[in-house]
Coordinates of all heavy atoms in Angstrom, one line a residue:
M1 N 0.8 -1.7 21.3 CA 0.7 -2.1 19.8 C 0.4 -1.0 19.0 O 1.0 -0.8 18.0 CB -0.4 -3.1 19.8 CG -0.8 -3.4 18.4 SD 0.6 -3.9 17.4 CE 0.1 -5.4 16.8
I2 N -0.4 0.0 19.4 CA -0.8 1.1 18.6 C 0.4 2.1 18.4 O 0.7 2.5 17.4 CB -2.1 2.0 19.3 CG1 -3.3 1.0 19.2 CG2 -2.2 3.2 18.4 CD1 -3.7 0.5 17.8
Q3 N 1.2 2.2 19.5 CA 2.4 3.0 19.4 C 3.4 2.4 18.4 O 4.0 3.1 17.6 CB 3.1 3.2 20.8 CG 4.3 4.1 20.8 CD 3.9 5.5 20.3 OE1 2.8 6.0 20.7 NE2 4.7 6.2 19.6
K4 N 3.4 1.1 18.4 CA 4.4 0.4 17.4 C 3.9 0.7 16.0 O 4.7 1.0 15.2 CB 4.4 -1.1 17.7 CG 5.5 -1.8 16.9 CD 5.6 -3.3 17.4 CE 6.7 -3.9 16.7 NZ 7.0 -5.3 17.2
L5 N 2.6 0.7 15.7 CA 2.0 0.9 14.5 C 2.2 2.3 14.1 O 2.6 2.6 12.9 CB 0.6 0.7 14.5 CG 0.1 -0.8 14.3 CD1 -1.4 -0.9 14.6 CD2 0.4 -1.3 13.0
R6 N 2.1 3.3 15.1 CA 2.4 4.7 14.7 C 3.8 4.9 14.2 O 4.1 5.6 13.3 CB 2.0 5.6 15.9 CG 0.5 5.8 16.1 CD 0.2 6.8 17.1 NE -1.2 6.9 17.2 CZ -1.8 6.8 18.4 NH1 -1.1 6.6 19.6 NH2 -3.1 6.8 18.5
S7 N 4.8 4.3 15.0 CA 6.1 4.6 14.6 C 6.4 3.9 13.2 O 7.2 4.3 12.5 CB 7.1 4.0 15.7 OG 7.0 2.6 15.8
W8 N 5.8 2.8 13.0 CA 5.9 2.1 11.7 C 5.4 2.9 10.5 O 6.0 2.9 9.5 CB 5.3 0.7 11.8 CG 5.4 -0.1 10.6 CD1 6.4 -0.8 10.1 CD2 4.2 -0.4 9.7 NE1 6.0 -1.4 8.9 CE2 4.7 -1.2 8.7 CE3 3.0 0.0 9.7 CZ2 3.9 -1.7 7.7 CZ3 2.2 -0.5 8.7 CH2 2.6 -1.3 7.7
L9 N 4.3 3.6 10.8 CA 3.6 4.4 9.7 C 4.4 5.6 9.4 O 4.0 6.3 8.4 CB 2.2 4.8 10.2 CG 1.3 3.5 10.2 CD1 0.0 4.0 10.9 CD2 1.0 3.1 8.9
G10 N 5.4 6.1 10.1 CA 6.1 7.3 9.9 C 6.6 7.6 8.6 O 6.6 8.7 8.1
G11 N 7.1 6.7 7.8 CA 7.6 6.9 6.5 C 9.1 7.4 6.5 O 9.7 7.5 7.5
G12 N 9.6 7.5 5.3 CA 10.9 8.0 5.1 C 12.1 6.9 5.2 O 13.2 7.3 5.1
R13 N 11.7 5.7 5.1 CA 12.8 4.6 5.2 C 13.1 4.2 3.7 O 12.2 4.1 2.9 CB 12.2 3.4 5.9 CG 12.0 3.7 7.3 CD 11.6 2.5 8.0 NE 12.7 2.3 9.1 CZ 12.8 1.2 9.8 NH1 12.0 0.2 9.6 NH2 13.7 1.1 10.7
Q14 N 14.4 3.8 3.5 CA 14.8 3.3 2.3 C 14.6 1.8 2.1 O 14.5 1.2 1.1 CB 16.2 3.7 2.1 CG 16.5 5.1 1.9 CD 15.9 5.8 0.7 OE1 15.8 5.2 -0.3 NE2 15.3 6.9 0.9
T15 N 14.5 1.0 3.2 CA 14.4 -0.3 3.2 C 13.0 -0.7 3.7 O 12.4 0.0 4.5 CB 15.5 -1.0 4.1 OG1 15.3 -0.6 5.4 CG2 16.8 -0.8 3.6
P16 N 12.5 -1.8 3.2 CA 11.1 -2.2 3.7 C 11.0 -2.4 5.2 O 12.0 -2.8 5.8 CB 10.9 -3.7 3.1 CG 11.9 -3.7 2.0 CD 13.0 -2.8 2.3
R17 N 9.9 -1.9 5.8 CA 9.8 -2.2 7.2 C 9.2 -3.5 7.6 O 8.6 -4.1 6.8 CB 8.7 -1.1 7.7 CG 9.1 0.3 7.4 CD 7.9 1.2 7.6 NE 8.2 2.5 7.2 CZ 8.3 3.5 8.0 NH1 8.2 3.3 9.2 NH2 8.6 4.7 7.6
E18 N 9.5 -3.9 8.8 CA 9.0 -5.1 9.4 C 7.5 -4.8 9.6 O 7.3 -3.8 10.3 CB 9.7 -5.6 10.5 CG 9.2 -6.9 11.1 CD 10.0 -7.4 12.2 OE1 11.1 -7.2 12.3 OE2 9.3 -8.0 13.1
V19 N 6.7 -5.7 9.2 CA 5.2 -5.4 9.5 C 4.9 -5.9 11.0 O 5.2 -7.1 11.3 CB 4.3 -6.1 8.5 CG1 2.8 -5.9 8.8 CG2 4.6 -5.7 7.1
P20 N 4.3 -5.1 11.8 CA 3.9 -5.5 13.1 C 2.9 -6.7 13.1 O 2.2 -6.8 12.2 CB 3.4 -4.2 13.8 CG 3.6 -3.1 12.9 CD 3.9 -3.6 11.6
P21 N 3.0 -7.6 14.1 CA 2.1 -8.7 14.2 C 0.6 -8.2 14.3 O 0.3 -7.1 14.8 CB 2.5 -9.3 15.5 CG 3.9 -8.8 15.9 CD 4.0 -7.5 15.3
D22 N -0.2 -9.0 13.6 CA -1.6 -8.7 13.6 C -2.3 -9.2 14.9 O -2.2 -10.4 15.2 CB -2.2 -9.5 12.4 CG -3.7 -9.1 12.2 OD1 -4.3 -8.5 13.1 OD2 -4.3 -9.5 11.1
N23 N -2.8 -8.3 15.7 CA -3.4 -8.6 16.9 C -4.9 -8.9 16.8 O -5.7 -9.1 17.7 CB -3.3 -7.5 17.9 CG -3.9 -6.2 17.6 OD1 -4.5 -6.1 16.5 ND2 -3.6 -5.2 18.4
G24 N -5.5 -8.9 15.5 CA -6.9 -9.1 15.3 C -7.9 -8.0 15.4 O -9.0 -8.1 15.1
S25 N -7.3 -6.8 15.7 CA -8.3 -5.6 16.0 C -8.5 -5.0 14.7 O -7.8 -5.0 13.7 CB -7.5 -4.6 16.9 OG -6.5 -3.9 16.2
T26 N -9.6 -4.3 14.7 CA -10.1 -3.5 13.5 C -9.1 -2.3 13.3 O -8.7 -1.9 12.2 CB -11.5 -3.0 13.7 OG1 -12.3 -4.0 14.0 CG2 -12.0 -2.2 12.5
R27 N -8.6 -1.8 14.4 CA -7.7 -0.6 14.3 C -6.4 -1.0 13.5 O -5.8 -0.2 12.8 CB -7.4 -0.2 15.8 CG -6.5 0.9 15.9 CD -7.3 2.2 15.9 NE -6.4 3.4 15.7 CZ -6.2 4.2 16.7 NH1 -6.7 4.1 17.8 NH2 -5.4 5.2 16.5
Y28 N -6.0 -2.3 13.7 CA -4.8 -2.7 13.0 C -5.0 -2.6 11.4 O -4.1 -2.1 10.7 CB -4.5 -4.2 13.4 CG -3.3 -4.8 12.7 CD1 -2.0 -4.6 13.3 CD2 -3.4 -5.6 11.6 CE1 -0.9 -5.2 12.7 CE2 -2.3 -6.2 11.0 CZ -1.1 -5.9 11.6 OH 0.1 -6.5 11.0
V29 N -6.1 -3.1 11.0 CA -6.4 -3.0 9.5 C -6.6 -1.5 9.1 O -6.1 -1.2 8.1 CB -7.7 -3.8 9.2 CG1 -8.1 -3.6 7.7 CG2 -7.5 -5.3 9.5
E30 N -7.1 -0.7 9.9 CA -7.2 0.8 9.6 C -5.8 1.4 9.4 O -5.6 2.1 8.4 CB -8.0 1.5 10.7 CG -9.4 1.2 10.8 CD -10.0 1.8 12.1 OE1 -9.4 2.5 12.8 OE2 -11.2 1.4 12.2
Q31 N -5.0 1.1 10.4 CA -3.6 1.6 10.3 C -2.9 1.1 9.0 O -2.1 1.8 8.3 CB -2.9 1.3 11.5 CG -3.4 1.9 12.8 CD -3.3 3.5 12.7 OE1 -2.3 4.0 12.2 NE2 -4.3 4.2 13.1
L32 N -3.0 -0.2 8.7 CA -2.3 -0.9 7.6 C -2.9 -0.3 6.3 O -2.2 -0.1 5.3 CB -2.5 -2.3 7.6 CG -1.6 -3.1 8.5 CD1 -1.8 -4.6 8.4 CD2 -0.1 -2.7 8.4
A33 N -4.2 0.0 6.3 CA -4.8 0.5 5.1 C -4.2 2.0 4.8 O -3.8 2.3 3.6 CB -6.3 0.7 5.2
K34 N -4.0 2.7 5.8 CA -3.3 4.1 5.6 C -1.9 3.9 5.1 O -1.5 4.6 4.2 CB -3.3 4.8 7.0 CG -4.7 5.3 7.4 CD -4.6 6.0 8.7 CE -5.9 6.3 9.4 NZ -5.8 7.0 10.6
R35 N -1.2 2.9 5.7 CA 0.2 2.7 5.2 C 0.2 2.3 3.8 O 1.1 2.6 3.0 CB 0.8 1.6 6.1 CG 2.3 1.3 5.7 CD 3.2 2.5 5.8 NE 4.5 2.2 5.4 CZ 5.4 3.0 5.0 NH1 5.2 4.3 5.0 NH2 6.6 2.6 4.5
M36 N -0.8 1.3 3.4 CA -0.8 0.8 2.1 C -1.1 1.9 1.1 O -0.5 2.0 0.0 CB -1.9 -0.2 2.0 CG -2.0 -1.0 0.6 SD -0.5 -2.0 0.3 CE -0.8 -3.4 1.4
I37 N -2.0 2.8 1.4 CA -2.3 4.0 0.5 C -1.0 4.8 0.3 O -0.6 5.2 -0.8 CB -3.5 4.8 1.0 CG1 -4.7 4.1 1.0 CG2 -3.6 6.1 0.3 CD1 -5.9 4.7 1.8
K38 N -0.2 5.0 1.3 CA 1.1 5.8 1.2 C 2.0 5.0 0.3 O 2.7 5.6 -0.6 CB 1.7 6.0 2.6 CG 1.1 7.1 3.4 CD 1.8 7.2 4.7 CE 1.3 8.4 5.5 NZ 2.1 8.7 6.7
L39 N 2.1 3.8 0.5 CA 3.1 3.0 -0.3 C 2.7 3.0 -1.8 O 3.5 3.2 -2.7 CB 3.1 1.5 0.1 CG 3.7 1.2 1.5 CD1 3.4 -0.2 1.9 CD2 5.2 1.6 1.5
V40 N 1.5 2.7 -2.1 CA 1.0 2.6 -3.5 C 1.0 4.0 -4.2 O 1.3 4.0 -5.4 CB -0.4 1.9 -3.6 CG1 -1.0 1.9 -5.0 CG2 -0.3 0.5 -3.1
T41 N 0.7 5.0 -3.5 CA 0.7 6.4 -4.1 C 2.0 7.1 -4.1 O 2.1 8.3 -4.5 CB -0.5 7.2 -3.5 OG1 -0.3 7.4 -2.1 CG2 -1.8 6.6 -3.7
S42 N 3.0 6.6 -3.4 CA 4.3 7.3 -3.3 C 5.0 7.4 -4.7 O 4.5 6.7 -5.7 CB 5.2 6.5 -2.4 OG 5.6 5.3 -3.0
R43 N 6.0 8.1 -4.7 CA 6.8 8.3 -6.0 C 7.3 7.0 -6.5 O 7.3 6.7 -7.6 CB 7.9 9.3 -5.7 CG 8.7 9.6 -7.0 CD 9.7 10.7 -6.8 NE 10.4 10.3 -5.5 CZ 11.2 11.1 -4.8 NH1 11.3 12.4 -5.2 NH2 11.9 10.6 -3.7
E44 N 7.7 6.1 -5.6 CA 8.2 4.8 -5.9 C 7.1 3.8 -6.3 O 7.4 2.9 -7.1 CB 9.0 4.3 -4.7 CG 10.2 5.0 -4.3 CD 9.8 6.0 -3.4 OE1 8.7 6.1 -2.8 OE2 10.6 7.0 -3.2
G45 N 5.9 4.0 -5.9 CA 4.8 3.2 -6.3 C 4.9 1.7 -5.9 O 5.8 1.5 -5.0
V46 N 4.2 0.9 -6.5 CA 4.2 -0.5 -6.2 C 5.6 -1.1 -6.5 O 6.1 -1.8 -5.6 CB 3.2 -1.3 -7.0 CG1 3.3 -2.8 -6.7 CG2 1.7 -0.7 -6.5
P47 N 6.3 -0.8 -7.7 CA 7.6 -1.5 -7.9 C 8.6 -1.2 -6.8 O 9.3 -2.1 -6.3 CB 8.0 -0.9 -9.2 CG 6.8 -0.5 -9.9 CD 5.8 0.0 -8.8
G48 N 8.7 0.0 -6.3 CA 9.6 0.4 -5.2 C 9.2 -0.1 -3.9 O 10.1 -0.1 -3.0
N49 N 8.0 -0.4 -3.7 CA 7.5 -0.8 -2.4 C 7.0 -2.2 -2.3 O 6.3 -2.6 -1.3 CB 6.5 0.2 -1.8 CG 7.0 1.6 -1.6 OD1 7.9 1.7 -0.8 ND2 6.5 2.5 -2.3
L50 N 7.2 -3.0 -3.4 CA 6.6 -4.3 -3.4 C 6.9 -5.2 -2.2 O 5.9 -5.9 -1.7 CB 6.9 -5.0 -4.8 CG 6.1 -6.3 -5.1 CD1 4.7 -6.0 -5.2 CD2 6.7 -6.9 -6.4
P51 N 8.1 -5.3 -1.8 CA 8.4 -6.2 -0.6 C 7.5 -5.9 0.6 O 7.0 -6.7 1.2 CB 9.9 -5.9 -0.3 CG 10.5 -5.5 -1.7 CD 9.4 -4.7 -2.3
E52 N 7.4 -4.6 0.8 CA 6.6 -4.2 2.0 C 5.1 -4.5 1.8 O 4.3 -4.9 2.6 CB 6.8 -2.8 2.4 CG 6.2 -2.4 3.7 CD 6.5 -1.0 4.2 OE1 7.5 -0.4 3.7 OE2 5.9 -0.5 5.1
I53 N 4.6 -4.2 0.6 CA 3.2 -4.4 0.2 C 2.9 -5.9 0.3 O 1.9 -6.3 0.9 CB 2.9 -3.9 -1.2 CG1 3.0 -2.4 -1.3 CG2 1.6 -4.4 -1.8 CD1 3.0 -1.8 -2.7
R54 N 3.8 -6.7 -0.1 CA 3.5 -8.2 0.0 C 3.6 -8.7 1.5 O 2.9 -9.5 1.8 CB 4.5 -8.9 -0.9 CG 4.1 -8.7 -2.4 CD 5.1 -9.4 -3.3 NE 5.0 -10.9 -3.2 CZ 4.0 -11.7 -3.8 NH1 3.0 -11.2 -4.4 NH2 4.0 -13.0 -3.5
A55 N 4.5 -8.0 2.2 CA 4.7 -8.4 3.6 C 3.5 -8.1 4.3 O 3.1 -8.8 5.3 CB 5.9 -7.6 4.2
I56 N 2.8 -6.9 4.0 CA 1.6 -6.6 4.7 C 0.5 -7.7 4.4 O -0.2 -8.2 5.2 CB 1.1 -5.2 4.3 CG1 2.0 -4.1 4.9 CG2 -0.4 -5.0 4.6 CD1 1.8 -2.7 4.3
G57 N 0.4 -8.0 3.1 CA -0.5 -9.1 2.7 C -0.2 -10.4 3.4 O -1.2 -11.1 3.8
Q58 N 1.1 -10.8 3.5 CA 1.4 -12.0 4.2 C 1.0 -12.0 5.7 O 0.5 -12.9 6.2 CB 2.8 -12.3 4.0 CG 3.3 -13.7 4.6 CD 2.6 -14.8 3.8 OE1 2.8 -14.9 2.5 NE2 1.9 -15.7 4.4
R59 N 1.2 -10.9 6.3 CA 0.9 -10.8 7.8 C -0.6 -10.9 7.9 O -1.0 -11.6 8.9 CB 1.4 -9.4 8.3 CG 1.1 -9.2 9.7 CD 2.0 -10.2 10.6 NE 3.3 -9.6 10.7 CZ 4.2 -10.2 11.5 NH1 3.9 -11.2 12.2 NH2 5.4 -9.7 11.5
L60 N -1.4 -10.3 7.1 CA -2.9 -10.4 7.1 C -3.3 -11.8 6.9 O -4.2 -12.4 7.6 CB -3.5 -9.5 6.1 CG -3.3 -8.0 6.5 CD1 -3.8 -7.1 5.3 CD2 -4.0 -7.6 7.8
H61 N -2.6 -12.5 5.9 CA -3.0 -13.8 5.5 C -2.7 -14.8 6.5 O -3.4 -15.7 7.0 CB -2.3 -14.2 4.2 CG -2.8 -15.6 3.7 ND1 -2.2 -16.8 4.3 CD2 -3.7 -15.9 2.8 CE1 -2.8 -17.7 3.6 NE2 -3.7 -17.3 2.8
D62 N -1.6 -14.6 7.3 CA -1.2 -15.4 8.4 C -2.2 -15.4 9.5 O -2.4 -16.4 10.2 CB 0.3 -15.0 8.9 CG 1.3 -15.3 8.0 OD1 1.2 -16.1 7.0 OD2 2.5 -14.8 8.2
R63 N -2.9 -14.3 9.7 CA -3.9 -14.1 10.8 C -5.2 -14.7 10.4 O -5.7 -15.6 11.2 CB -4.1 -12.6 11.0 CG -5.2 -12.4 12.1 CD -4.8 -12.8 13.5 NE -5.8 -12.5 14.4 CZ -5.7 -12.5 15.6 NH1 -4.5 -12.7 16.2 NH2 -6.7 -12.3 16.4
S64 N -5.7 -14.5 9.2 CA -7.1 -15.0 8.9 C -7.3 -15.4 7.5 O -8.4 -15.3 7.0 CB -8.1 -14.1 9.3 OG -8.0 -13.8 10.7
G65 N -6.2 -15.6 6.7 CA -6.3 -16.0 5.3 C -6.8 -14.8 4.5 O -6.5 -13.7 4.8
T66 N -7.4 -15.1 3.4 CA -7.8 -14.0 2.5 C -8.8 -13.2 3.0 O -9.0 -12.0 2.5 CB -8.2 -14.6 1.1 OG1 -9.3 -15.5 1.3 CG2 -7.1 -15.3 0.4
D67 N -9.6 -13.5 4.0 CA -10.7 -12.7 4.6 C -10.1 -11.5 5.2 O -10.6 -10.4 4.9 CB -11.5 -13.5 5.6 CG -12.3 -14.5 5.1 OD1 -12.6 -14.6 3.9 OD2 -12.8 -15.4 5.9
R68 N -9.0 -11.5 5.9 CA -8.3 -10.4 6.5 C -7.8 -9.5 5.4 O -7.7 -8.3 5.5 CB -7.2 -10.9 7.4 CG -6.7 -9.8 8.3 CD -7.7 -9.5 9.5 NE -6.9 -8.8 10.5 CZ -7.5 -8.0 11.4 NH1 -8.8 -7.8 11.3 NH2 -6.8 -7.5 12.3
M69 N -7.2 -10.1 4.3 CA -6.7 -9.3 3.2 C -7.9 -8.5 2.5 O -7.7 -7.4 2.2 CB -6.1 -10.2 2.2 CG -4.8 -11.0 2.8 SD -4.2 -12.3 1.7 CE -3.3 -11.3 0.5
R70 N -9.1 -9.2 2.4 CA -10.2 -8.5 1.9 C -10.7 -7.2 2.7 O -11.1 -6.3 2.3 CB -11.3 -9.4 1.7 CG -11.2 -10.2 0.4 CD -12.5 -11.0 0.1 NE -12.1 -12.2 -0.7 CZ -11.8 -13.4 -0.3 NH1 -11.7 -13.7 1.0 NH2 -11.5 -14.3 -1.2
D71 N -10.5 -7.5 4.0 CA -10.8 -6.4 5.0 C -10.0 -5.2 4.7 O -10.5 -4.0 4.8 CB -10.6 -6.9 6.4 CG -11.6 -7.9 7.0 OD1 -12.6 -8.1 6.4 OD2 -11.2 -8.5 8.0
L72 N -8.8 -5.4 4.4 CA -7.8 -4.2 4.1 C -8.3 -3.6 2.8 O -8.4 -2.4 2.7 CB -6.4 -4.6 4.0 CG -5.5 -3.4 3.9 CD1 -4.3 -3.4 4.8 CD2 -5.0 -3.3 2.4
L73 N -8.6 -4.3 1.8 CA -9.0 -3.8 0.5 C -10.3 -3.0 0.8 O -10.5 -1.9 0.1 CB -9.3 -4.8 -0.5 CG -8.0 -5.5 -1.2 CD1 -8.4 -6.6 -2.1 CD2 -7.1 -4.5 -1.7
F74 N -11.2 -3.5 1.5 CA -12.4 -2.8 1.8 C -12.1 -1.4 2.5 O -12.7 -0.4 2.2 CB -13.4 -3.6 2.7 CG -14.6 -2.9 3.1 CD1 -15.7 -2.8 2.2 CD2 -14.8 -2.1 4.3 CE1 -16.9 -2.2 2.5 CE2 -15.9 -1.5 4.6 CZ -17.0 -1.5 3.8
E75 N -11.2 -1.5 3.5 CA -10.9 -0.2 4.3 C -10.3 0.8 3.3 O -10.5 2.0 3.3 CB -9.8 -0.7 5.3 CG -9.4 0.4 6.2 CD -10.5 0.8 7.3 OE1 -11.4 0.0 7.6 OE2 -10.5 2.0 7.7
V76 N -9.4 0.4 2.4 CA -8.8 1.3 1.4 C -9.8 1.8 0.5 O -9.9 3.1 0.3 CB -7.7 0.6 0.6 CG1 -7.3 1.4 -0.6 CG2 -6.5 0.1 1.4
G77 N -10.7 1.0 -0.1 CA -11.7 1.4 -1.0 C -12.8 2.2 -0.4 O -13.3 3.3 -1.0
E78 N -13.5 1.7 0.6 CA -14.7 2.3 1.1 C -14.4 3.4 2.1 O -14.9 4.5 2.0 CB -15.6 1.2 1.7 CG -16.0 0.2 0.7 CD -16.9 0.8 -0.5 OE1 -17.7 1.7 -0.2 OE2 -16.7 0.3 -1.7
T79 N -13.7 3.0 3.2 CA -13.5 3.9 4.2 C -12.5 5.1 3.8 O -12.9 6.3 4.3 CB -12.8 3.2 5.5 OG1 -13.6 2.1 5.8 CG2 -12.7 4.1 6.7
H80 N -11.5 4.8 3.1 CA -10.6 5.9 2.6 C -10.9 6.5 1.2 O -10.2 7.3 0.8 CB -9.1 5.4 2.8 CG -8.7 5.1 4.1 ND1 -8.4 6.1 5.1 CD2 -8.6 4.0 4.9 CE1 -8.1 5.6 6.2 NE2 -8.2 4.3 6.1
G81 N -12.0 5.9 0.7 CA -12.4 6.4 -0.7 C -11.4 6.2 -1.8 O -11.3 7.1 -2.7
R82 N -10.6 5.2 -1.8 CA -9.7 4.9 -2.9 C -9.9 3.6 -3.5 O -9.1 2.7 -3.6 CB -8.3 5.0 -2.3 CG -7.9 6.4 -1.8 CD -7.9 7.5 -2.8 NE -7.2 7.2 -4.1 CZ -6.0 7.5 -4.4 NH1 -5.3 8.3 -3.6 NH2 -5.5 7.2 -5.6
P83 N -11.2 3.3 -4.1 CA -11.4 2.0 -4.7 C -10.5 1.8 -6.0 O -10.2 0.7 -6.4 CB -12.9 2.1 -5.1 CG -13.2 3.6 -5.2 CD -12.3 4.2 -4.1
D84 N -10.0 2.9 -6.5 CA -9.0 2.8 -7.6 C -7.7 2.1 -7.3 O -7.1 1.5 -8.1 CB -8.6 4.2 -8.1 CG -8.2 5.1 -7.1 OD1 -8.7 5.3 -6.0 OD2 -7.0 5.7 -7.3
L85 N -7.4 2.0 -6.0 CA -6.2 1.3 -5.6 C -6.3 -0.1 -5.4 O -5.4 -0.9 -5.2 CB -5.6 2.0 -4.3 CG -5.2 3.4 -4.3 CD1 -4.7 4.0 -3.1 CD2 -4.2 3.7 -5.6
E86 N -7.6 -0.6 -5.1 CA -7.9 -2.0 -4.8 C -7.3 -2.9 -5.9 O -6.6 -3.9 -5.5 CB -9.4 -2.2 -4.6 CG -9.9 -1.5 -3.4 CD -11.4 -1.8 -3.2 OE1 -11.8 -3.0 -3.3 OE2 -12.2 -0.8 -3.2
P87 N -7.6 -2.8 -7.2 CA -7.0 -3.7 -8.1 C -5.4 -3.7 -8.1 O -4.8 -4.8 -8.3 CB -7.5 -3.3 -9.5 CG -8.6 -2.2 -9.2 CD -8.3 -1.8 -7.8
T88 N -4.9 -2.6 -7.8 CA -3.4 -2.5 -7.9 C -2.8 -3.3 -6.7 O -1.9 -4.1 -6.8 CB -2.9 -1.0 -7.8 OG1 -3.5 -0.3 -8.8 CG2 -1.5 -0.9 -7.7
I89 N -3.4 -3.2 -5.5 CA -3.0 -4.0 -4.3 C -3.2 -5.4 -4.5 O -2.4 -6.3 -4.3 CB -3.7 -3.5 -3.1 CG1 -3.4 -2.0 -2.8 CG2 -3.4 -4.3 -1.9 CD1 -4.3 -1.3 -1.9
A90 N -4.4 -5.7 -5.1 CA -4.7 -7.1 -5.3 C -3.7 -7.8 -6.3 O -3.3 -8.9 -6.0 CB -6.2 -7.3 -5.9
R91 N -3.3 -7.2 -7.3 CA -2.3 -7.7 -8.2 C -1.0 -7.8 -7.6 O -0.2 -8.8 -7.7 CB -2.1 -6.8 -9.4 CG -3.2 -7.0 -10.5 CD -3.0 -6.3 -11.8 NE -2.7 -4.9 -11.7 CZ -3.7 -3.9 -11.7 NH1 -4.9 -4.3 -11.8 NH2 -3.3 -2.6 -11.6
A92 N -0.6 -6.9 -6.7 CA 0.6 -6.9 -6.0 C 0.7 -8.1 -5.0 O 1.8 -8.7 -4.7 CB 1.0 -5.7 -5.2
W93 N -0.5 -8.5 -4.5 CA -0.5 -9.6 -3.6 C -0.7 -11.0 -4.3 O -0.7 -12.0 -3.5 CB -1.8 -9.5 -2.7 CG -1.6 -8.5 -1.6 CD1 -0.4 -7.9 -1.1 CD2 -2.7 -8.0 -0.7 NE1 -0.7 -7.0 -0.1 CE2 -2.0 -7.1 0.2 CE3 -4.1 -8.1 -0.7 CZ2 -2.8 -6.4 1.1 CZ3 -4.8 -7.5 0.2 CH2 -4.2 -6.6 1.2
D94 N -0.7 -11.0 -5.6 CA -0.9 -12.3 -6.2 C 0.1 -13.3 -5.8 O 1.4 -13.0 -5.7 CB -0.8 -12.1 -7.7 CG -1.2 -13.4 -8.5 OD1 -2.1 -14.1 -8.1 OD2 -0.5 -13.7 -9.5
G95 N -0.3 -14.5 -5.3 CA 0.6 -15.5 -4.8 C 0.9 -15.4 -3.3 O 1.6 -16.3 -2.8
V96 N 0.4 -14.4 -2.6 CA 0.6 -14.3 -1.2 C -0.4 -15.2 -0.5 O -1.5 -15.0 -0.7 CB 0.5 -12.9 -0.6 CG1 0.5 -12.9 0.9 CG2 1.5 -11.9 -1.2
G97 N 0.1 -16.3 0.1 CA -0.9 -17.2 0.7 C -1.7 -17.8 -0.4 O -1.3 -18.3 -1.4
D98 N -3.1 -17.8 -0.2 CA -4.1 -18.3 -1.1 C -4.6 -17.2 -2.0 O -5.5 -17.5 -2.8 CB -5.3 -18.9 -0.3 CG -4.9 -20.0 0.7 OD1 -3.9 -20.8 0.3 OD2 -5.5 -20.2 1.6
W99 N -4.0 -16.0 -2.0 CA -4.5 -14.9 -2.8 C -4.1 -15.1 -4.3 O -3.0 -15.4 -4.6 CB -3.9 -13.6 -2.3 CG -4.5 -12.4 -2.8 CD1 -4.1 -11.7 -4.0 CD2 -5.7 -11.8 -2.4 NE1 -4.9 -10.7 -4.2 CE2 -6.0 -10.7 -3.3 CE3 -6.5 -11.9 -1.3 CZ2 -7.0 -9.8 -3.1 CZ3 -7.5 -11.0 -1.2 CH2 -7.8 -10.0 -2.0
R100 N -5.1 -14.9 -5.0 CA -4.9 -15.0 -6.5 C -5.7 -13.8 -7.1 O -6.9 -13.5 -6.8 CB -5.4 -16.3 -7.1 CG -4.8 -17.6 -6.6 CD -3.4 -17.7 -7.0 NE -2.8 -18.8 -6.5 CZ -2.0 -18.8 -5.3 NH1 -1.8 -17.7 -4.7 NH2 -1.4 -19.9 -4.9
S101 N -5.0 -13.1 -8.0 CA -5.6 -11.9 -8.6 C -6.0 -12.2 -10.1 O -5.6 -13.1 -10.6 CB -4.7 -10.7 -8.6 OG -3.6 -10.8 -9.3

C-alpha cells in the first residue's frame, strides 16, 4: 500500500490520478496531505487539479465521512504548517459527500 502511495505521489502527470483506496491508517492521511499541498500550491492550482482534489475528498468520505476529511485538513494545517490552505481545500470539496463549505 505504501509503495502504491509513493508512486502515486510522484507528480508530473497531465491527467488526474486515481486515488488509492483508504486502508484506514494514519499514514494514508499523511501521504494524501502531502499530495494535497502539492496540488493546491502547484502552478495549475485548484482549478487545474480540481478533479483530483475532489477525488481525494471523495475517497476519504467513502471511508469515514467528513471526519476523515477533517483529519486531512488537520494534517495539512497543523502537521505541515499550512493552515492557509485549509479554506481553499474545504471550498474545493464543497458537495463531496456530506461536506459543505
Side-chain angles (χ1 to χ4, degrees):
M1 172 51 125
I2 297 301
Q3 185 60 34
K4 188 172 187 177
L5 279 170
R6 283 190 184 125
S7 67
W8 177 74
L9 289 166
R13 294 185 121 189
Q14 295 297 320
T15 58
R17 298 166 188 253
E18 182 180 326
V19 181
D22 185 350
N23 63 3
S25 75
T26 305
R27 183 88 190 253
Y28 181 83
V29 173
E30 291 170 7
Q31 295 295 321
L32 285 183
K34 289 177 186 177
R35 179 69 185 154
M36 186 66 76
I37 291 168
K38 283 184 178 183
L39 291 170
V40 174
T41 60
S42 72
R43 184 177 48 197
E44 297 83 17
V46 172
N49 292 303
L50 190 58
E52 189 171 345
I53 291 168
R54 292 183 61 82
I56 290 170
Q58 187 64 58
R59 182 67 77 175
L60 294 168
H61 187 274
D62 290 348
R63 176 69 183 195
S64 300
T66 57
D67 290 342
R68 193 77 162 152
M69 296 167 82
R70 282 189 200 91
D71 290 345
L72 184 132
L73 288 180
F74 179 83
E75 187 73 25
V76 167
E78 298 297 320
T79 305
H80 294 283
R82 295 302 308 261
D84 57 308
L85 300 180
E86 290 179 57
T88 303
I89 297 166
R91 281 191 303 275
W93 282 348
D94 190 40
V96 173
D98 300 330
W99 190 268
R100 301 292 177 262
S101 64

